[in-house]
Amino acid sequence: MKYFALMRVKHYIKNLIIFLPAMLTLSLKNWQILAANVKGFIIFSLSASIIYIFNDIKDFESDRKHPLKSSRPIASGKVSFSEAKFIIFLLVCAIIALLWSESFRAKYILWPLIYIIINILYSAYLKNFPLIDVAALSSCYVIRLWYGAALTECGISNWMSLTMISVSFFMGFGKRRNELIQYGKSMRKSLKGYSANFLDKSLQIMLTSSIIFYSLMCADEKTFVARAGINLLWTVPFVIVICLRYLMLVENAASDGDPTSIILHDKILIILCFGYIFSVGARLYFV
């Protein structure tokens, strides 16, 4: 279990975004596209684990002093540096094997590589600057979306991209807000440029933008879903409730605002998310 914790397997839930383009273009019926998305999901997840372990090694000293991060496998001493480096080696070998089976096709390589580069830059430099730090983190969610589009070999609407950008900024500002409230400005350099009031306003702006862009995506008659005769406007109230529930948890929870922790530790939000996915999937594929 300590190795799963080291790899942050629970954070793989973020990578389900990869399947979104295939889902909304009804491409999951195609077994070849489904297989490509599954393989891409595995490649991206392993790439993310490499970044998590790399950062844990790099931030070992600071993590040991952190109230929550001190329990991580490396910071707590449960996993040694040599073990962590060996796990990275195994993950790299697994990724190479998966890419080799696809003759190193660009659609499997490009976006995970960009993701790794952005995260290395974030860890080394970008995380120290307010706004830039959230923008860098937010870009990783958009990369997942575009990676899914590349694997599905389909286009994605501008509204979908704008929705993902707004949602990712919403979650990023929520994380910074709770870090600031929980640990103060000394916890990380970028927090010195934020105030609780600014972050609360930013959360409201991004929440509003997310709902508006999602609504416009559902109302756009040029999307694949609309051309297929499927109306997703009825899902807008569903999404509004999910967003407001998330905001409620961010403002009331005694956590650092990590999106994965917030989602996985609230039964109501889990039920809402599964309800949304099930109802949309059923409408797209079975009605």
Side-chain angles (χ1 to χ4, degrees), residues 249-282:
L249 293 171
V250 167
E251 292 192 345
N252 295 331
S255 71
D256 64 355
D258 177 70
T260 303
S261 297
I262 289 175
I263 293 172
L264 294 180
H265 287 86
D266 185 70
K267 293 180 180 179
I268 295 176
L269 189 56
I270 291 174
I271 292 172
L272 287 171
C273 290
F274 269 107
Y276 170 78
I277 294 171
F278 176 79
S279 59
V280 171

Side-chain angles (χ1 to χ4, degrees), residues 170-171 242-250 257 259 262-263 269:
F170 173 59
M171 293 188 292
I242 290 174
C243 289
L244 290 176
R245 178 63 183 176
Y246 188 92
L247 180 62
M248 183 186 296
L249 293 171
V250 167
I262 289 175
I263 293 172
L269 189 56

Side-chain angles (χ1 to χ4, degrees), residues 19 30 33 42-43 47 50-51 60 66 82-83 87-88 117 127 130 136 164 192 227 265 268 272 275:
F19 292 95
N30 185 316
I33 293 178
I42 296 172
I43 291 172
S47 300
I50 290 173
I51 291 297
F60 169 72
H66 193 279
S82 58
E83 287 179 298
I87 295 296
I88 289 178
I117 292 172
K127 68 179 181 180
M164 185 57 62
K192 296 177 182 178
R227 292 200 302 270
H265 287 86
I268 295 176
L272 287 171

Side-chain angles (χ1 to χ4, degrees), residues 58 60 64 66 103 120 193 195 215 250:
K58 178 180 175 295
F60 169 72
R64 290 180 63 188
H66 193 279
S103 302
I120 291 174
S195 68
S215 301
V250 167

